[in-house]
Amino acid sequence: MTDVGIVLAGFGNVGRAFARLSFEKRQFLEKRYGLRLRLRAVFRSTGGIRLGPASAAERLLAGDAARAEESPLWNPKLRMSAPLTRGAHGVLVVCTASDVHTGEPGLGLIRMALARGWHVVTADKGPLVARFRELRETAARKGLKLGYSAAAGAALPALDVGLGSLAGTEIAAVEGILNGTTNYILTRMGQGADFDTALREAQAKGIAEPDPARDIEGLDAAVKLLLIANSTMGLDLRLDDIEVAPLAGVGRRALVSAAKRGLALKYLAKVQRETRKIRAEVKVSAIPRTHPLFGVDGTNKGVTFLTDSMGAVTVTGGKSDPRGAAAALLKDIINIYRS
Amino acid sequence: MTDVGIVLAGFGNVGRAFARLSFEKRQFLEKRYGLRLRLRAVFRSTGGIRLGPASAAERLLAGDAARAEESPLWNPKLRMSAPLTRGAHGVLVVCTASDVHTGEPGLGLIRMALARGWHVVTADKGPLVARFRELRETAARKGLKLGYSAAAGAALPALDVGLGSLAGTEIAAVEGILNGTTNYILTRMGQGADFDTALREAQAKGIAEPDPARDIEGLDAAVKLLLIANSTMGLDLRLDDIEVAPLAGVGRRALVSAAKRGLALKYLAKVQRETRKIRAEVKVSAIPRTHPLFGVDGTNKGVTFLTDSMGAVTVTGGKSDPRGAAAALLKDIINIYRS
């Protein structure tokens, strides 16, 4: 049995789902993987909670969100440096919502964890977009793992497939439906709903970003595309290199007309090697019935890799909600200790 | 740079494709992964060839198949034990076509390699079906890797996703279109071709098993299902536990009638946990438009995992030909040395 210390930073939808899922799965994780996850501390912007083994606080965090929010256990003076320096090392789980330009507040936390010899898994995209190369190089230099499945498609295993399953191939292009909210909106509009209704439905499902502008203006898809393409195609793209056309402006008429021609309109994120350059874009694109992402509807996501020696390989599905993101964080933790 | 000794057993379509691909990719493998694959010897039923570094024989093997077949270099007296005992350890690449009941001739070769401290990657399903548990346990006990992606879907990353990307989930069911030949036949019949024509086309594409009865009677799909389900669901199914209905008997009328109702007929391989038992079957099944394998046509394959915490995750595509299988062998080798 391996004891793994966990410090959780960020206690929004994903952070809470992670606390709950790792509590629910504790026996399964022990039995199947020989891992005992020990949630040592949780931080949010207003303070932190230190946890003893199987303490009341741990059960509280794994339980009802509203009760956890109001708990008197939150200590506004607790600093993250404390649990990261005591006892055995472990994994910092980052569920903050950072700015994609500065990378803060997640960036500082990740740097602190790596400096202290902790592995990091993150659902927060901001620090990766801001300082992808720095963080990967720091982790590699220190022999630590930086897992970011949850930031690059969550339960959709885009990175695992692109890095592991396609090892030995050269990837000429990545195409993805990477944002569940916009895919849901397009699907519902194709069924007759209007844009605003469809957006509200997506928000009610808990899949929309806190600020839905990040979904419908394409930033969320662009960021995921950046992480997937840079990781799997060995590129060093920055956000500015991706041409992003917002979803707005697509009317129901265009959807119906595409359907009549046997095409589907999808909010497609794409990076492609061309003769002398890399082309990267996020825009509404018409794809034919034979395209492997044609049937990816509703809140589903999917990504296709075009390779030299394995042809086209596609992954689709995976829960788009906070529980799916929590499951992706958990997967990255398990795979750190398996390898 | 890591030198990896390779011994190749079996020199049919897949073995030749592996020799060619690893030769073509040698510079890429050095640059990207720091691996220098050294093909030390090749064996087929009629003899073996020992190879020096970048020797004439290696170039011959990587080149034209007909010339390689007729080469005077084949030595009928060479035994595999010789290259496996000299020098540094490496990987035995198994491309034989073994019996699924006895596991031979591949089983003996794999046992010999593991006993001598060599990793094994195999495209040959026979030894795995015959002695799956024994081979996995032997490899684990000796700290060696047994890679069998190429036997369980080849370039379709079924095992990677089921084992790695879904770590931490509980898999309730696996459903797959696992045989390219039968999927091609069903697709072509839906387009108006008759069974025999479609089968001949599949054979011409080099995707059919040497004995097409293994495809159309469901044995190939059942074997892949067995490997995927046993590996990812922690089961210990035997071939007899899988109910297999041959493809024969499906008429064009049924295909057309299904299409009219918005359904697709697929030769579906499925393992499902039920309340008190495991249900495993390979049979023609009607799936609706919303099923993630609905659009998997032609020589394509696909597999869907139904999980508790990540929902349904599907992988589709990947070349079905010998080059795709060779690429899967190469991937398994790279991942042995990366972990």
Side-chain angles (χ1 to χ4, degrees):
Chain A
M1 195 67 63
T2 306
D3 272 340
V4 178
I6 301 285
V7 170
L8 173 59
F11 201 62
N13 288 336
V14 175
R16 281 198 295 266
F18 176 81
R20 203 150 36 230
L21 186 66
S22 55
F23 187 76
E24 274 172 39
K25 291 227 168 219
R26 62 202 187 286
Q27 285 172 326
F28 175 70
L29 297 175
E30 289 183 14
K31 198 174 145 213
R32 178 75 70 93
Y33 304 101
L35 292 180
R36 198 181 284 129
L37 303 194
R38 299 286 196 197
L39 190 55
R40 293 216 209 136
V42 180
F43 292 85
R44 58 175 185 175
S45 52
T46 55
I49 299 183
R50 290 291 288 273
L51 302 157
S55 69
E58 187 166 2
R59 285 197 300 278
L60 176 69
L61 291 170
D64 179 64
R67 271 194 310 165
E69 284 284 349
E70 291 157 18
S71 164
L73 295 168
W74 294 100
N75 172 0
K77 293 197 181 138
L78 192 66
R79 299 285 173 84
M80 210 181 73
S81 51
L84 285 183
T85 42
R86 302 245 182 98
H89 292 175
V91 183
L92 174 69
V93 178
V94 183
C95 300
T96 42
S98 298
D99 184 272
V100 293
H101 301 289
T102 66
E104 296 299 350
L107 181 59
L109 304 178
I110 295 177
R111 283 176 172 154
M112 187 196 297
L114 292 175
R116 284 167 166 77
W118 281 59
H119 302 293
V120 173
V121 300
T122 177
D124 186 355
K125 304 166 185 75
L128 299 169
V129 175
R131 291 284 184 279
F132 189 53
R133 194 181 250 205
E134 174 207 311
L135 295 176
R136 293 222 301 176
E137 287 175 359
T138 304
R141 200 174 55 243
K142 306 198 90 182
L144 297 169
K145 301 281 183 182
L146 175 66
Y148 50 99
S149 292
L156 176 78
L159 290 175
D160 298 332
V161 169
L163 288 169
S165 306
L166 303 181
T169 71
E170 290 184 81
I171 298 173
V174 173
E175 290 183 27
I177 295 171
L178 298 177
N179 179 266
T181 302
T182 48
N183 199 40
Y184 182 82
I185 290 172
L186 282 174
T187 302
R188 291 288 291 124
M189 284 176 74
Q191 294 164 348
D194 64 39
F195 187 97
D196 293 332
T197 307
L199 173 58
R200 275 197 305 274
E201 288 174 5
Q203 287 173 311
K205 284 172 178 283
I207 60 163
E209 287 280 311
D211 173 8
R214 290 173 63 151
D215 295 310
I216 62 188
E217 286 171 10
L219 181 62
D220 179 70
V223 164
K224 289 174 186 161
L225 180 67
L226 181 95
L227 295 175
I228 296 169
N230 281 356
S231 303
T232 64
M233 296 175 74
L235 302 175
D236 198 18
L237 294 176
R238 312 184 134 268
L239 263 186
D240 292 347
D241 300 324
I242 306 178
E243 254 181 74
V244 182
L247 180 68
V250 177
R252 254 187 284 170
R253 276 242 296 269
L255 285 157
V256 171
S257 146
K260 276 190 190 147
R261 286 174 293 143
L263 302 171
L265 292 189
K266 295 291 180 190
Y267 199 42
L268 211 65
K270 186 168 176 174
V271 171
Q272 190 166 10
R273 281 184 202 282
E274 298 187 343
T275 318
R276 303 177 72 91
K277 62 166 187 165
I278 302 292
R279 183 193 195 77
E281 59 189 25
V282 176
K283 64 173 189 190
V284 175
S285 309
I287 61 174
R289 198 171 289 275
T290 51
H291 192 291
L293 300 175
F294 183 85
V296 176
D297 286 333
T299 62
N300 266 326
K301 300 192 292 283
V303 62
T304 296
F305 297 92
L306 300 178
T307 75
D308 58 343
S309 45
M310 290 194 184
V313 174
T314 300
V315 274
T316 62
K319 281 169 85 73
S320 281
D321 58 7
R323 191 172 163 90
L329 290 163
L330 198 56
K331 167 195 70 174
D332 278 354
I333 294 171
I334 294 167
N335 287 331
I336 287 172
Y337 288 91
R338 272 218 286 211
S339 71
Chain B
M1 195 66 64
T2 306
D3 273 340
V4 178
I6 301 285
V7 171
L8 173 59
F11 202 61
N13 287 336
V14 175
R16 283 198 294 265
F18 175 81
R20 203 149 38 230
L21 186 66
S22 55
F23 187 77
E24 274 172 39
K25 291 228 167 218
R26 63 202 186 287
Q27 285 171 326
F28 176 69
L29 297 175
E30 288 182 16
K31 198 173 144 214
R32 178 75 69 94
Y33 304 101
L35 292 180
R36 198 182 283 130
L37 303 194
R38 298 286 196 197
L39 189 56
R40 292 218 209 134
V42 180
F43 292 86
R44 57 175 184 175
S45 52
T46 55
I49 299 183
R50 291 291 288 271
L51 304 156
S55 69
E58 186 165 3
R59 286 197 300 278
L60 176 69
L61 290 170
D64 178 62
R67 272 194 312 166
E69 283 284 350
E70 290 156 17
S71 164
L73 294 169
W74 292 102
N75 172 0
K77 293 199 182 137
L78 190 66
R79 297 286 172 82
M80 210 182 74
S81 51
L84 285 184
T85 42
R86 302 244 183 98
H89 293 176
V91 183
L92 174 68
V93 178
V94 183
C95 299
T96 42
S98 298
D99 183 90
V100 292
H101 300 291
T102 65
E104 297 298 349
L107 181 59
L109 303 178
I110 295 176
R111 283 178 173 153
M112 187 196 296
L114 293 175
R116 284 167 166 76
W118 281 59
H119 302 293
V120 173
V121 301
T122 178
D124 185 355
K125 304 167 185 76
L128 299 170
V129 175
R131 292 284 185 276
F132 188 54
R133 193 180 252 206
E134 174 207 311
L135 294 175
R136 293 223 301 177
E137 286 175 0
T138 304
R141 200 175 52 243
K142 306 198 89 183
L144 297 169
K145 300 281 184 183
L146 174 67
Y148 49 99
S149 291
L156 176 78
L159 290 175
D160 298 333
V161 169
L163 287 170
S165 305
L166 303 181
T169 71
E170 290 185 80
I171 298 173
V174 173
E175 290 182 26
I177 295 172
L178 298 177
N179 179 267
T181 302
T182 48
N183 199 40
Y184 183 82
I185 290 172
L186 282 174
T187 302
R188 290 289 291 122
M189 285 177 72
Q191 294 164 347
D194 64 39
F195 187 96
D196 293 332
T197 307
L199 173 58
R200 275 198 305 274
E201 288 174 5
Q203 287 174 310
K205 284 173 178 281
I207 60 162
E209 286 280 310
D211 173 8
R214 288 173 64 151
D215 295 309
I216 61 188
E217 287 171 9
L219 180 63
D220 180 70
V223 163
K224 288 173 186 161
L225 180 67
L226 181 95
L227 295 175
I228 296 169
N230 281 356
S231 303
T232 63
M233 296 175 74
L235 301 176
D236 199 18
L237 293 176
R238 312 184 134 266
L239 263 185
D240 292 347
D241 300 325
I242 306 178
E243 253 181 75
V244 182
L247 180 67
V250 178
R252 254 186 285 169
R253 276 241 296 270
L255 285 158
V256 171
S257 145
K260 275 188 191 148
R261 287 173 292 142
L263 302 171
L265 293 189
K266 294 291 180 190
Y267 198 40
L268 211 65
K270 186 166 175 175
V271 171
Q272 190 164 9
R273 281 186 204 281
E274 298 187 342
T275 317
R276 303 177 72 91
K277 62 167 186 164
I278 303 294
R279 182 192 195 78
E281 60 189 22
V282 176
K283 65 173 189 189
V284 175
S285 309
I287 62 174
R289 200 171 287 275
T290 51
H291 192 291
L293 300 175
F294 183 85
V296 176
D297 285 332
T299 62
N300 266 326
K301 300 191 293 282
V303 62
T304 297
F305 297 92
L306 300 179
T307 75
D308 58 342
S309 44
M310 289 195 184
V313 174
T314 300
V315 275
T316 62
K319 281 169 85 73
S320 281
D321 59 5
R323 191 172 163 90
L329 289 163
L330 198 56
K331 166 194 70 173
D332 278 352
I333 294 171
I334 294 167
N335 287 332
I336 287 172
Y337 289 90
R338 271 217 288 210
S339 71

